[in-house]
Amino acid sequence: MKNLELNIDNVFPFVSKEVIDGYEELTRYHIRHLHQRTGKGANFLGWLDLPSNITEESIIEIEDVANELNEKIDVMVVVGIGGSYLGAKAVIDALSHSFGMFNDGRPFPKIVFAGQNISEDYTGELVDFLDTVSYAITVISKSGTTTEPSIAFRILRDHLEKKYGQEEAGKRIIAITSAGRGALRNLVDEKGYRSFVIPDDVGGRYSLLTPVGLLPIVQAGFDIRQLIAGAKKMEEMTRPGTPFRDNPSAVYAAARNALYRQSPKTEILASYHPKLIYLAEWWKQLYGESEGKEKKGIFPASVNFTADLHSMGQYIQEGQRNLFETVISILNPSREVFIPEVTDDADGLNFLAGKRIEDVNKMAELGTMLAHVDGGVPNILIRLPELNEYYLGQLMYFFQKACAISGYLMNVNPFDQPGVEAYKNNMFALLKKPGFEEETELIYKRLNS
Ligand code: PA5
């Protein structure tokens, strides 16, 4: 079976091969520290060997709960934010039919997400929708106290209880949270909800292969065994002792750090498949929260081509030269759609007649990469043989491992997110949360001065 391939040839016009190879020792050192749990944030490294540690028993438990609920529901509402939703959303979007035609004919959308915003319109419209379908709720929060999902869960639990009564509602709520502490765990104990555990040593944005990602993905009808198998393959490919050149996570971490040190401070993740828009959102959280601290870090941005070539393409080609691009290329899309010949040839495109749309997409990809390199934008290329569970497992583990190595190369802790508290403190002060009296006084003084 083929594997994800990394190609950094289009980095070499900007950073020499010798410089990249110079990272061999450093990455080996950091990979060793990761696996020996002796580096920064060592208490949050449970994700490293999740693919090979997941038991058959835990997979069956997840599948059983999902299948049992699927018997009686049309829609599962997954409540969570950040790492408690983006992994599942990325995989489900990547694998779902763009227009909701599941192979088994189930209604669309099967999975909807809530608690990832505090938008009144979104929440109100979601409730309108839930009035019309049979649904259940999976609430995901490691801490159990995150404001956005907590508010959504309050509203949806109330709606569910009114719709089905307390007892049936209790059977339609699944909680995924930490084992022994936190508000959500207390509620689980009090109400008797079915629950799954987020291991203490796995942080939100690294939690795809815990029930956080796996339950919604199974619920959506996708094969988590293949996802895990792909991640396990990448775990093997990136483990200590793998030669630098054969370890894609090490090479990717090295290339982006070499570029960062030279000048570019923004990395754009580009793909030519709209199904990968949320994969990019997941990636942005992973890298943004992991590296952006202590006044360091590469700013993670994303574009979806060719659509964004007609909006962001100008800037990337000719704007400020502080960018590099990482392109995810899918070698074999699952569909074949051919361009027809038309008699009038009004658009002059008959020369493409008989070709697959993907033939054009691939040439757009290649042409853009060459143009961007000519325009001074280094390119890293990630090739996936196909877009399926197995290769998404490889890709997402590859990115996680590279992110950890990259964070260590920047000498930051890639597993914490202290800066996220600042907005929360201000929001609570503004909302006059009990215990925030001093902050409330200060913030209103500041606003009124
Ligand atoms: O990566 C992270 O740790 C964060 O993005 C969290 O996942 C996010 O803030 C949600 O936290 P919680 O699961 O505690 O509600």
Side-chain angles (χ1 to χ4, degrees):
M1 198 177 262
K2 289 183 184 152
N3 295 314
L4 169 154
E5 281 174 21
L6 182 77
N7 184 317
I8 59 165
D9 287 354
N10 284 328
V11 170
F12 297 139
F14 304 90
V15 175
S16 73
K17 191 170 172 306
E18 290 66 41
V19 169
I20 307 278
D21 285 343
Y23 278 82
E24 181 168 357
E25 272 308 309
L26 262 180
T27 52
R28 184 178 304 142
Y29 170 84
H30 290 308
I31 292 169
R32 202 173 52 239
H33 277 290
L34 269 175
H35 282 265
Q36 291 174 344
R37 270 78 170 161
T38 46
K40 291 188 178 188
N43 292 339
F44 289 94
L45 286 168
W47 58 272
L48 259 185
D49 35 29
L50 265 182
S52 53
N53 279 347
I54 293 175
T55 61
E56 178 63 17
E57 209 182 10
S58 59
I59 296 174
I60 290 175
E61 195 189 347
I62 290 169
E63 289 172 338
D64 283 351
V65 169
N67 291 337
E68 186 211 305
L69 277 168
N70 271 352
E71 297 276 302
K72 62 176 172 185
I73 63 167
D74 301 321
V75 171
M76 172 60 82
V77 187
V78 177
V79 180
I81 195 166
S84 287
Y85 107 100
L86 279 169
K89 173 79 174 153
V91 172
I92 292 169
D93 271 26
L95 298 176
S96 293
H97 190 288
S98 304
F99 300 94
M101 295 182 63
F102 284 82
N103 291 336
D104 64 4
R106 281 177 299 160
F108 180 76
K110 173 73 184 173
I111 307 288
V112 297
F113 291 87
Q116 80 283 28
N117 60 55
I118 333 177
S119 160
E120 203 158 7
D121 283 346
Y122 185 94
T123 311
E125 287 165 16
L126 175 60
V127 169
D128 292 345
F129 173 61
L130 296 177
D131 278 338
T132 67
V133 291
S134 171
Y135 78 99
I137 301 172
T138 299
V139 54
I140 307 176
S141 177
K142 189 174 180 192
S143 62
T145 52
T146 308
T147 310
E148 293 88 339
S150 296
I151 291 175
F153 184 49
R154 271 183 179 234
I155 292 164
L156 296 175
R157 180 157 65 110
D158 184 56
H159 183 268
L160 194 76
E161 286 174 356
K162 286 188 177 128
K163 184 163 174 165
Y164 297 104
Q166 288 271 352
E167 198 187 328
E168 177 60 17
K171 292 183 191 152
R172 287 173 179 247
I173 293 175
I174 310 291
I176 306 179
T177 187
S178 33
R181 62 196 155 80
L184 188 53
R185 179 57 56 191
N186 295 342
L187 195 68
V188 166
D189 293 342
E190 188 194 319
K191 302 273 187 185
Y193 298 148
R194 277 180 291 182
S195 69
F196 291 91
V197 168
I198 308 175
D200 283 345
D201 59 357
V202 180
R205 57 192 177 275
Y206 294 85
S207 68
L208 173 73
L209 297 181
T210 72
V212 171
L214 298 179
L215 182 65
I217 293 168
V218 174
Q219 200 96 49
F222 300 113
D223 186 349
I224 52 170
R225 288 161 191 275
Q226 281 300 311
L227 186 79
I228 296 164
K232 190 170 172 201
K233 179 67 192 175
M234 192 51 67
E235 184 189 330
E236 284 161 23
M237 286 168 65
T238 59
R239 65 168 46 129
T242 306
F244 175 67
R245 281 265 148 218
D246 298 334
N247 181 336
S249 294
V251 175
Y252 176 53
R256 58 198 300 285
N257 273 268
L259 289 163
Y260 171 65
R261 269 156 220 238
Q262 193 192 64
S263 130
K265 301 291 180 260
T266 299
E267 177 177 9
I268 303 173
L269 190 74
S271 90
Y272 289 72
H273 303 274
K275 285 172 182 236
L276 295 185
I277 287 176
Y278 265 89
L279 193 275
E281 295 303 312
W282 170 85
W283 172 88
K284 284 193 282 193
Q285 185 207 353
L286 180 65
Y287 280 81
E289 258 188 0
S290 299
E291 288 184 341
K293 49 199 72 158
E294 300 175 29
K295 312 273 179 282
K296 300 179 202 171
I298 299 169
F299 183 80
S302 65
V303 287
N304 198 261
F305 291 154
T306 59
D308 288 339
L309 286 172
H310 298 261
S311 54
M312 298 303 290
Q314 172 60 37
Y315 188 103
I316 298 170
Q317 190 66 46
E318 295 183 343
Q320 206 180 127
R321 301 298 72 190
N322 60 353
L323 314 168
F324 68 97
E325 209 168 19
T326 296
V327 178
I328 301 178
S329 179
I330 313 285
L331 289 181
N332 297 304
S334 55
R335 301 296 293 262
E336 288 191 347
V337 180
F338 293 90
I339 300 170
E341 183 163 349
V342 289
T343 42
D344 55 54
D345 195 23
D347 53 14
L349 292 180
N350 263 353
F351 76 100
L352 294 176
K355 285 190 188 296
R356 286 175 62 182
I357 293 187
E358 188 55 25
D359 295 333
V360 182
N361 203 26
K362 283 280 182 322
M363 291 309 114
E365 182 183 305
L366 181 58
T368 305
M369 263 172 62
L370 295 173
H372 287 176
V373 171
D374 290 347
V377 179
N379 254 269
I380 296 172
L381 178 63
I382 297 165
R383 282 203 188 98
L384 289 191
E386 286 167 43
L387 189 54
N388 59 25
E389 289 91 333
Y390 183 78
Y391 291 117
L392 281 171
Q394 284 201 1
L395 178 69
M396 292 169 91
Y397 187 91
F398 153 81
F399 274 138
Q400 288 181 342
K401 189 71 161 278
C403 184
I405 301 167
S406 193
Y408 278 5
L409 285 171
M410 288 182 195
N411 197 21
V412 297
N413 176 354
F415 310 112
D416 65 3
Q417 55 283 328
V420 177
E421 295 311 309
Y423 97 91
K424 292 184 193 168
N425 290 337
N426 283 347
M427 179 177 73
F428 289 141
L430 290 163
L431 289 166
K432 304 185 178 161
K433 182 177 177 176
F436 280 71
E437 289 75 11
E438 212 173 297
E439 289 88 343
T440 298
E441 202 185 317
L442 282 173
I443 203 160
Y444 279 104
K445 227 181 241 167
R446 178 176 159 190
L447 289 174
N448 294 329
S449 65

